[in-house]
Amino acid sequence: MSRIKATGLAHKVMDAAQAAALFTNGMVVGASGFTKSGDSKAVLAALADRAAKEDIKITLITGASLGQDTDARLANAHGLHKRMPFQADPVLRKHINNGEVLFIDQHLSESVELLHNHYIPQLDIAVIEAALITEDGSIVPTTSVGNSASFALMAKKLIIEINTVVPESIQGIHDIFVPDDYPHRNSIPVNVPDARVGTTTIKIQPDKVAAIVYTAVQDSPADIVPPDAKTEAIAGHLIKFFEAEVAAGRLTNSLLPVQAGIGKVANAVLNGFRKGHFADLTMYSEVLQDSTFDLIDAGKLRFASGSSITVSAECYDRVVNNLDHYREKIVLRPQNISNAPGVIRRLGVIAINTAIEFDMYGNVNSTHIGGTHIMNGIGGSGDFARNAYLSIFVTQAASKNDTISHVLPMVSHVDHNEHDVDILVTDVGLADLRGLAPRERAKVIIANCAHPYYRDALQDYFDRACAQRGGQTPHLLEEAFSWHVRLRERGTMKG
């Protein structure tokens, strides 16, 4: 009980099954967790066990994706009615795409806005992981903040999971700032990445605490995939681009605050900053990955702001066992602050995110296969893309033995339209779209980003579209999706 510093709460301690009994069918539930970190380790799993035996479904809102196979367990137990705003579980993805689970794919900065503005019902229960409960009854989050601060404020009841694997010394790395409701919303006073503008704990109403459950389970480790030739090539193109921007006087060797989506391409790009003259870098992002801490340890990254620490098992031990070393170099914020459009614009963030595919005019699909089947979700890429100083999207030029081109006449689903995209990068090359009209964009994208096998076909489509249809953005509508149709029917985009 030593992690419960506040008086009057110790009697709320129970096991996960007892806490899961507090849920009823149809509840709207908020849960901590952002890209596998700081998530429920026990209570939601116990709820899945209940759902496997009883008719109980919930609407589940989190920060982002969960670890511990929690989404899979709930989906397989038919315990989910609706899920938002992000997921990355292949089992849940299957249930979403077959129509069993409704999924709201949403900008991560906007999730709690639906709650604040009463567009969705009030949370019945919030399940939040904590390292401890302080003397004044506040929660010290663990390895993520996500939407936890707003969930704790708006839920009718709270279930707190105290995870003893996370040391109490994690207190102090969080910066909790909750914007006021409309019409009197306050400004977010973050003017530099290392600004601390809130409190180190999440304030709660102790009388809302319905249960406290102790756990001792480490976050699910991030899947760190070693860089391959394609990701190394993408990183190389980007590093050369940044070096050219410095040489042109548009950036300094410190660049501007960097945001990078999660995954092997982002890690490869960030690790590329260890080379060359880049120094005194800063980050204003969502997820602090292995590469973030590698850059800090290499003396290249001065400060990193995010909403979660999502790292490999090796890096987790390095960070958690050396919190005093990293304490003044990192901060974790609520995701509606880490992803706040106004702050991103004010800081001049350089945003680097991954695309599934993009078309010859610069429209980007980040979420759907074949225009219909969700992969993970838009996450925070839209928050950053529209408001960034530089909006960069990366993907491989072709995949599956080059049977799929990721540069197309028209994307099958649009998440980021051409107006929000500045730079496109594949392993083939980089297209700088700044200041270019659609017809100019098409020429640059085809020449620099398309796989050589598909380049002539793209150029032929563009030439015929210009000659036969014209317009500011020439297209042959009867052919625009023919590459997707060919893939569906023949298993290849090759003509």
Side-chain angles (χ1 to χ4, degrees), residues 251-281:
L251 292 170
T252 69
N253 283 327
S254 298
L255 304 180
L256 284 165
V258 176
Q259 175 263 337
I262 195 166
K264 64 179 181 179
V265 175
N267 271 303
V269 171
L270 291 177
N271 280 321
F273 289 134
R274 299 174 69 174
K275 306 171 185 176
H277 301 291
F278 302 109
D280 202 32
L281 298 167

Side-chain angles (χ1 to χ4, degrees), residues 31 39 121-122 160 192 242 247 253 271 299 306 334 358 459-460 464 481:
D39 55 336
Q122 182 181 3
I160 302 170
V192 290
F242 289 128
N253 283 327
N271 280 321
F358 56 80
Q459 188 65 51
D460 174 68
R464 288 186 295 112
F481 294 114

Side-chain angles (χ1 to χ4, degrees), residues 356-409:
I356 290 175
E357 61 190 17
F358 56 80
D359 66 29
M360 63 187 191
Y361 294 115
N363 299 292
V364 172
N365 171 17
S366 294
T367 60
H368 284 72
I369 300 299
T372 57
H373 283 56
I374 192 77
M375 277 295 291
N376 298 334
I378 196 170
S381 59
D383 297 323
F384 285 91
R386 173 154 289 192
N387 302 287
Y389 170 85
L390 281 174
S391 174
I392 301 168
F393 282 93
V394 300
T395 190
Q396 55 190 320
S399 63
K400 305 291 184 183
N401 295 319
D402 301 332
T403 58
I404 300 175
S405 174
H406 295 265
V407 186
L408 299 157

Side-chain angles (χ1 to χ4, degrees), residues 191-264:
N191 297 310
V192 290
D194 52 347
R196 295 178 185 267
V197 300
T199 61
T200 59
T201 61
I202 296 174
K203 304 295 183 183
I204 65 169
Q205 298 176 31
D207 60 347
K208 293 203 301 187
V209 177
I212 299 172
V213 176
Y214 272 85
T215 68
V217 181
Q218 189 169 305
D219 289 337
S220 296
D223 299 320
I224 302 300
V225 180
D228 54 27
K230 289 184 177 181
T231 55
E232 291 281 14
I234 292 169
H237 296 316
L238 263 177
I239 295 302
K240 288 181 181 178
F241 167 77
F242 289 128
E243 290 172 342
E245 291 293 288
V246 172
R250 288 186 286 266
L251 292 170
T252 69
N253 283 327
S254 298
L255 304 180
L256 284 165
V258 176
Q259 175 263 337
I262 195 166
K264 64 179 181 179

